[in-house]
Amino acid sequence: MYGPFLEKEGKNNVTLTKWETGNYLGEWCGEAFTHERIVTFNFMKQTIGQTLVQVKHTQRCRRTNNDQCIVQIKMEMNGFPYADCFVVEVRHVVSRVGDNDLSIQIGMFVKFLKSCMFEKKIKTNTGVETTRAQMALLKMIVEGCAPYAKEVTGSADESEDEEETVERERALTMDVPKTVALRHPIELPEPTFKALRFIMMAFVTIFRTCLRPYIQPELFDPFTPSTVEEALQSARVRMKLLEDISLKSVSERRRKDVSREIALIEKSINRIEMMSTKDNLP
């Protein structure tokens, strides 16, 4: 599923090695894993111009019986400025909860390999891009697992609630004039109901346990910038969101125009940053 996901996201030359069995150690988390594979691909990235980015994912996995699965991903990139300064570490933890539910946790960490003057900018942009990609991956996984969801019989409390609801509906029906056409509830096919219930449970778990921790705080709590650096950072975050929303809302033939306008804005922001940096030099 990971290969088709990358291709759906517009990645090119996707290759995945087979899972190899052995003793592997996660450099970032220090955990031991039993399986490892390498994923490589490339894509065109808009910086000052179009540049080809080469990406390597080292994926390690460990399962604890049938109760928990942990996947750690080390993401390395090259082909754009400062790409050699950092790597991105992502960790997925899926745990069984009871007999029918799963808890899904996703975390990320930007690990700097050497000092960089744009660390704050890199963390912000990487957080936005990684969050969007991980949510898209999770959505695809949930949709793929939906056909295998099992129907769960409701508890006694749920049955009592359903009976009370039926009684209230009967009371309301008796008060409606006979000339009024009553609207009956829509009955969904059983496979559709199972799929919707599974998706709803997964997304509730996502928002409660894993979404907020690795989204940058600036996306939740807008603030008034007090320095040029903060203002530039805020502008880049909102520009990235503007680009994502705009590309989804315009027609195919207009997307190149939107990308071109976004690139012009990025150039202007970069020039402002360069001018303010030069002025602040001793």
Side-chain angles (χ1 to χ4, degrees), residues 4-104:
F5 163 73
L6 292 174
E7 293 173 348
K8 185 178 179 181
E9 289 288 297
K11 313 306 181 186
N12 305 314
N13 302 317
V14 178
T15 61
L16 297 88
T17 64
K18 293 183 179 180
W19 285 103
E20 299 289 341
T21 303
N23 297 316
Y24 305 99
L25 182 68
E27 299 93 341
W28 164 54
C29 58
E31 294 181 277
F33 296 91
T34 57
H35 294 78
E36 181 182 86
R37 72 174 178 182
I38 304 297
V39 181
T40 59
F41 58 90
N42 57 49
F43 66 96
M44 298 302 296
K45 181 179 178 66
Q46 181 69 45
T47 53
I48 298 178
Q50 288 283 332
T51 180
L52 181 65
V53 178
Q54 302 288 346
V55 184
K56 175 185 175 182
H57 288 184
T58 302
Q59 300 181 338
R60 300 183 178 96
C61 177
R62 179 181 79 247
R63 290 183 60 180
T64 305
N65 299 324
N66 288 322
D67 297 323
Q68 188 179 71
C69 180
I70 300 175
V71 176
Q72 184 245 337
I73 308 173
K74 178 182 180 181
M75 303 179 178
E76 302 171 90
M77 296 169 280
N78 64 74
F80 60 92
Y82 305 104
D84 60 337
C85 293
F86 70 100
V87 296
V88 180
E89 303 279 0
V90 175
R91 188 169 179 269
H92 295 194
V93 181
V94 181
S95 305
R96 186 180 298 279
V97 179
D99 295 329
N100 304 290
D101 297 328
L102 294 175
S103 169
I104 304 174

Side-chain angles (χ1 to χ4, degrees), residues 157-273:
D157 292 338
E158 291 175 343
S159 299
E160 292 176 1
D161 292 340
E162 291 177 358
E163 291 178 1
E164 291 178 1
T165 302
V166 171
E167 291 297 329
R168 285 196 296 269
E169 291 178 351
R170 287 178 181 174
L172 291 173
T173 303
M174 293 175 63
D175 295 335
V176 177
K178 294 182 180 180
T179 55
V180 178
L182 298 179
R183 299 180 65 181
H184 297 284
I186 299 174
E187 294 185 2
L188 295 175
E190 185 176 351
T192 303
F193 175 81
K194 291 180 179 180
L196 290 175
R197 183 181 185 278
F198 182 86
I199 293 172
M200 182 183 67
M201 290 169 55
F203 275 103
V204 168
T205 303
I206 295 165
F207 279 100
R208 287 181 177 177
T209 60
C210 69
L211 183 59
R212 181 64 183 262
Y214 69 93
I215 294 182
Q216 296 297 318
E218 290 88 345
L219 299 180
F220 291 100
D221 302 316
F223 59 92
T224 302
S226 58
T227 65
V228 174
E229 182 183 1
E230 291 179 354
L232 290 170
Q233 177 186 347
S234 177
R236 286 192 173 98
V237 172
R238 283 153 181 77
M239 184 180 64
K240 182 62 179 176
L241 295 175
L242 172 63
E243 181 181 13
D244 292 341
I245 295 172
S246 300
L247 291 177
K248 292 178 182 178
S249 62
V250 300
S251 60
E252 184 69 29
R253 66 186 186 89
R254 288 291 186 185
R255 290 181 181 177
K256 290 184 178 179
D257 295 334
V258 172
S259 297
R260 183 168 56 251
E261 295 299 325
I262 292 293
L264 291 174
I265 298 174
E266 288 181 344
K267 288 182 180 179
S268 298
I269 293 177
N270 289 335
R271 284 197 294 270
I272 294 172
E273 185 174 42

